[in-house]
Amino acid sequence: MIPKTEWRQILLSKRKLLSAQRRSGASALLKEKLLKRGRLLSFSSFNSEIDTRPLNILLAAQGCLFLPRVEGSSLMPYRVDDIDSQLIHSSTGIWEPDPRLCSKASLSEIDFCLVPGLGFDQEGFRIGYGKGHYDRFLAQSNLHSIGVGFLEQWIDERFPKDPWDLPVKELLLT
């Protein structure tokens, strides 16, 4: 079995090779499929991840956008109404809610949690960046989790798993 560290390199390289046209089409399809799902804890795309910005702009306009902020080793959801004025760069370079401008949200305000990953396997398990933020968050919530990304991130075999790894409840790879 391929170790997680090697999977990360393989999957990141594969994702970086996707064309701009492929990325744009996948982002548009993601927006179309998720726009009417309700109140979403989305994420700000990082590097070569599927672009959630178009979806996030529309969700914010509808009052349905929540974004995570890393606080310590935990993800904390915040309500975001304007992604152009209420986000700041984290120390890792990810756009996160500015806690001075956004309010913390309770899980009862959120219907679904979008979960990024480098790859997803046939059981809904994912390989992430290795920090465990989403696994810890999902373990503490009953939110319906949706793994999102590109079709090319689907792996037709099983990833190695640690005891704390949790599968997403639904996959939406476009």
Side-chain angles (χ1 to χ4, degrees), residues 45-65:
S45 302
F46 181 69
N47 287 336
S48 60
E49 290 176 338
I50 193 164
D51 187 6
T52 57
R53 185 174 168 79
L55 171 66
N56 290 349
I57 289 170
L58 291 172
L59 289 171
Q62 295 174 354
C64 296
L65 178 64

Side-chain angles (χ1 to χ4, degrees), residues 17-78:
L17 292 175
L18 297 175
S19 71
Q21 181 179 5
R22 174 73 185 95
R23 292 174 180 287
S24 175
S27 177
L29 191 55
L30 182 74
K31 178 180 74 172
E32 177 186 318
K33 291 185 178 246
L34 289 172
L35 195 55
K36 303 212 188 289
R37 293 287 289 261
R39 304 167 300 175
L40 298 179
L41 177 60
S42 185
F43 60 90
S44 295
S45 302
F46 181 69
N47 287 336
S48 60
E49 290 176 338
I50 193 164
D51 187 6
T52 57
R53 185 174 168 79
L55 171 66
N56 290 349
I57 289 170
L58 291 172
L59 289 171
Q62 295 174 354
C64 296
L65 178 64
F66 299 85
L67 291 174
R69 176 179 171 79
V70 176
E71 295 182 355
S73 62
S74 301
L75 290 182
M76 295 300 299
Y78 283 79

Side-chain angles (χ1 to χ4, degrees), residues 73-85:
S73 62
S74 301
L75 290 182
M76 295 300 299
Y78 283 79
R79 176 182 291 281
V80 176
D81 298 315
D82 182 356
I83 66 171
D84 290 325
S85 66

Side-chain angles (χ1 to χ4, degrees), residues 2 9 25 144 150 158 163 171:
I2 299 173
Q9 293 171 347
H144 183 89
F150 302 102
R158 292 185 173 112
L171 279 176

Side-chain angles (χ1 to χ4, degrees), residues 4 8 11 49 115-121 123-136 138 147 159-161 165-168 171:
K4 282 186 178 184
R8 285 187 183 95
L11 294 165
E49 290 176 338
V115 182
L118 292 168
F120 299 88
D121 74 9
E123 297 177 315
F125 284 92
R126 58 185 270 282
I127 296 280
Y129 293 105
K131 302 280 186 190
H133 292 120
Y134 278 92
D135 287 316
R136 282 189 297 280
L138 294 174
F159 288 135
K161 294 166 192 65
D165 290 335
L166 295 171
V168 292
L171 279 176

